[in-house]
Amino acid sequence: MQVTQIAALDLSALAKAIADGEVTSVEATAVALNRLVSIGHKLNAVVRLDNARAMDAAAAADKLRASGAALPPLHGVPLAHKDLFYRAGDLSGGGSRIRADFRADVTSTAIARLDAAGALDLGRLQLAEFAMSPTGFNESLGHARNPWNPAHVPGGSSSGSGVAVAARLVTASLGTDTGGSLRHPGAMCGLIGLKPTWGLVPIDGVMPLSASLDCAGPLTRTAKDAASILSVIAGRDYLKGIDTGIAGLRIAVPGGYYRELLHPQIATALDEAVKTLTSLGTVVSETTPPDMTLINALMQLVMSVEAATIHRRWLIERPQDYADQVRARIEPGLYYPATRYVEALSLRAQLAEAWITACIGDADLALLPAISIPVPTIAATTEGNPADVAGVIGRLTHCTRGINYLGLPAASVPCGFDNADLPIAFQLVGRPYCEAIMLRAAHAYQSATDWHHRVPAAAELN
Amino acid sequence: MSEDLLRQVVVELNQAPEAANRTARATALVTDVNTRIATEALRAMPFDTSPYAYQAWLAQADRS
């Protein structure tokens, strides 16, 4: 198989090709490493790679296959992940100056589960500083660039993961989501960004931002690939039944708050997506969200208090080593009384129930915008009037951040392109632990559409 | 919350004097968030609720 053909394979196809002997793990790993070095560095998506270790692991994977041994599901498949996931003995910088020399002494459970499933770990990918930005903003390491148009942001904070999967450098990548950090790069790079139910995927060995909100999950091109990764890292089977269709599935479309900032081009794409889902047999209803201002305030408090607790020593000793935009999001957490924090956690279950009742109602899932506005340029999110920059950043998280406070599973699903040829996505949100239903709906939608098959020019496959 | 009180909190309780220089930009947000949550807690939080109720609710929701 030619290099470009290998690079074009998605996770499921590559895993099958390796298992069937059509592609060796050494070939697939060499292709991925070459592309991470060439295209990945152009798009500033890569933090560090361990070529020698990866090639040794690939050779060992090919040897095991040749021995006739039973193979695990991701045998020999090269992957790379957000630079928050620890591997014992390796650097893990968290996108920051402050942790640039930090070496982990543990391996995260999610990474260990991928190891056990046979996946190869090529290295770590770019992210927003301390995972603190929906655009991927990183003043010290440079901003990652959107493969659909490098003048635009790729979405963050799992920016390098989004770029690497969209540009066909790797077939899947783990990221984290505290206020939308898997769904933003998913939406802005044209990918499935799956934030699981809070607590479903272990987050030990992942640099925390806000323990009550942080979720680890995959960025992939297809829902089926997301199901493959989630099955491994959650230890449950999400591939079973994914092909059974969505006839009779009920999808609610909340209005009100979720339509407030909606750009007309995004509204049109979402309406078309709803029509497609209806044509597949889903029953669509409209619902009305509760007071999202309160839920967003609760999310802001929990996130900033937990982040400020982790960062307090550095805020005292090394305040100059934070980008101002990042520090400004952490510092409010220093000011809240402890009673507010306990109240915020105590209100969580009843507000999650209230949101589900209002937004999902009798349905199985809710369909929201992933982001309400077209993918902004890097300049629009870094330069000019600070109030304007803050406004753009706030609008990007309008439909995502509240879901983290509620702890519900959610996923971005690509559903079109805007007039500037940048991706548009909708977001599916469900009740706790309904990832299987969500992935089945996304898979059915992708089976009827081809948005996920489109390839950005930066991937250099044409 | 007054800016002076917030400065005192970051300097004396959180020992973060640099943050005190930037207090003004946090004041409106902190005041708004505090007010909203304090008001909602008085209105809607049951007396015997707990910060661990959420984990119990999630566990009940997990039927797999």
Side-chain angles (χ1 to χ4, degrees):
Chain A
M1 204 178 278
Q2 290 180 349
V3 166
T4 51
Q5 288 175 306
I6 294 172
L9 297 173
D10 64 23
L11 175 70
S12 304
L14 180 60
K16 185 173 184 307
I18 292 172
D20 292 348
E22 292 168 17
V23 177
T24 66
S25 181
V26 164
E27 287 169 334
T29 301
V31 168
L33 286 169
N34 286 337
R35 293 175 63 78
L36 283 161
V37 168
S38 56
I39 300 167
H41 281 122
K42 257 188 250 177
L43 297 171
N44 200 19
V46 178
V47 175
R48 81 187 69 78
L49 301 170
D50 192 330
N51 295 35
R53 185 165 70 189
M55 291 307 293
D56 286 349
D62 287 336
K63 200 172 168 187
L64 183 66
R65 184 188 173 279
S67 75
L71 302 178
L74 300 177
H75 181 76
V77 175
L79 302 176
H81 309 291
K82 185 178 188 176
D83 193 23
L84 285 180
F85 287 84
Y86 300 164
R87 179 177 290 284
D90 284 3
L91 291 167
S92 186
S96 69
R97 278 199 195 104
I98 289 172
R99 280 208 135 188
D101 300 323
F102 169 72
R103 266 183 208 280
D105 57 6
V106 295
T107 298
S108 78
T109 295
I111 293 290
R113 287 180 177 177
L114 285 173
D115 291 346
L120 309 186
D121 185 356
L122 306 191
R124 292 294 173 269
L125 302 174
Q126 177 69 292
L127 69 158
E129 182 178 329
F130 286 124
M132 284 294 291
S133 163
T135 66
F137 176 84
N138 195 314
E139 200 168 85
S140 57
L141 301 180
H143 314 308
R145 296 179 175 277
N146 194 311
W148 293 96
N149 183 334
H152 289 251
V153 303
S157 62
S158 310
S159 51
S161 296
V163 174
V165 178
R168 277 58 173 172
L169 312 182
V170 288
T171 53
S173 178
L174 292 186
T176 57
D177 190 318
T178 304
S181 289
L182 284 158
R183 292 161 287 156
H184 299 143
M188 296 188 224
C189 292
L191 303 170
I192 302 284
L194 173 62
K195 180 203 103 61
T197 305
W198 180 78
L200 177 65
V201 176
I203 54 165
D204 62 287
V206 183
M207 188 190 167
L209 169 55
S210 170
S212 298
L213 309 177
D214 292 343
C215 297
L219 276 151
T220 58
R221 279 152 53 192
T222 70
K224 194 171 180 186
D225 289 353
S228 293
I229 296 287
L230 187 64
S231 297
V232 170
I233 61 176
R236 304 180 183 195
D237 184 1
Y238 292 97
L239 285 165
K240 187 180 172 189
I242 196 168
D243 283 317
T244 53
I246 50 172
L249 191 81
R250 293 161 299 174
I251 293 183
V253 181
Y257 172 89
Y258 289 112
R259 291 256 156 186
E260 278 171 11
L261 303 178
L262 206 53
H263 189 280
Q265 288 175 40
I266 308 218
T268 302
L270 260 55
D271 290 345
E272 286 300 316
V274 168
K275 280 185 199 163
T276 301
L277 289 164
T278 305
S279 75
L280 295 170
T282 61
V283 180
V284 174
S285 58
E286 291 182 11
T287 53
T288 306
D291 177 7
M292 292 306 297
T293 316
L294 172 66
I295 289 172
N296 289 337
L298 288 155
M299 184 276 174
Q300 197 282 328
L301 183 140
V302 171
M303 190 273 293
S304 65
V305 167
E306 293 183 350
T309 307
I310 294 161
H311 284 266
R312 191 166 73 92
R313 174 181 292 277
W314 298 324
L315 289 172
I316 294 168
E317 296 173 354
R318 301 180 62 175
Q320 73 283 359
D321 286 335
Y322 288 90
D324 191 59
Q325 198 182 102
V326 174
R327 196 176 47 205
R329 296 190 67 204
I330 300 173
E331 281 183 343
L334 297 170
Y335 300 114
Y336 293 113
T339 42
R340 280 306 84 68
Y341 175 68
V342 175
E343 286 166 358
L345 294 181
S346 300
L347 287 164
R348 205 171 174 194
Q350 69 189 75
L351 287 173
E353 279 192 332
W355 190 93
I356 289 168
T357 301
C359 287
I360 303 181
D362 295 334
D364 301 292
L365 300 170
L367 185 149
L368 320 174
I371 56 170
S372 304
I373 58 172
V375 180
T377 60
I378 292 173
T381 60
T382 55
E383 298 169 11
N385 182 344
D388 292 341
V389 169
V392 173
I393 291 170
R395 286 195 288 281
L396 285 176
T397 61
H398 186 75
C399 298
T400 48
R401 61 188 191 262
I403 304 302
N404 291 73
Y405 174 73
L406 304 171
L408 304 176
S412 65
V413 182
C415 68
F417 289 83
D418 64 21
N419 290 349
D421 287 330
L422 285 148
I424 298 173
F426 61 83
Q427 177 182 197
L428 292 174
V429 183
R431 294 179 173 81
Y433 304 105
C434 82
E435 283 82 356
I437 300 172
M438 234 164 51
L439 288 165
R440 181 157 55 90
H443 177 68
Y445 178 79
Q446 289 193 314
S447 300
T449 57
D450 69 353
W451 307 115
H452 58 295
H453 291 312
R454 301 195 185 187
V455 184
E460 298 177 12
L461 289 183
N462 299 318
Chain B
M1 297 179 83
S2 74
E3 279 192 30
D4 283 346
L5 176 58
L6 292 179
R7 282 198 188 89
Q8 195 180 340
V9 167
V10 291
V11 172
E12 295 179 11
L13 302 183
N14 282 306
Q15 300 165 24
E18 286 287 332
N21 299 335
R22 295 183 289 271
T23 296
R25 70 182 180 189
T27 304
L29 172 72
V30 169
T31 302
D32 179 65
V33 169
N34 253 318
T35 304
R36 277 183 203 282
I37 298 173
T39 304
E40 180 67 8
L42 276 180
R43 192 191 69 79
M45 193 173 83
F47 170 76
D48 57 355
T49 193
S50 137
Y52 307 108
Y54 180 71
Q55 285 86 333
W57 177 76
L58 272 184
Q60 205 171 21
D62 188 2
R63 301 188 197 287
S64 62

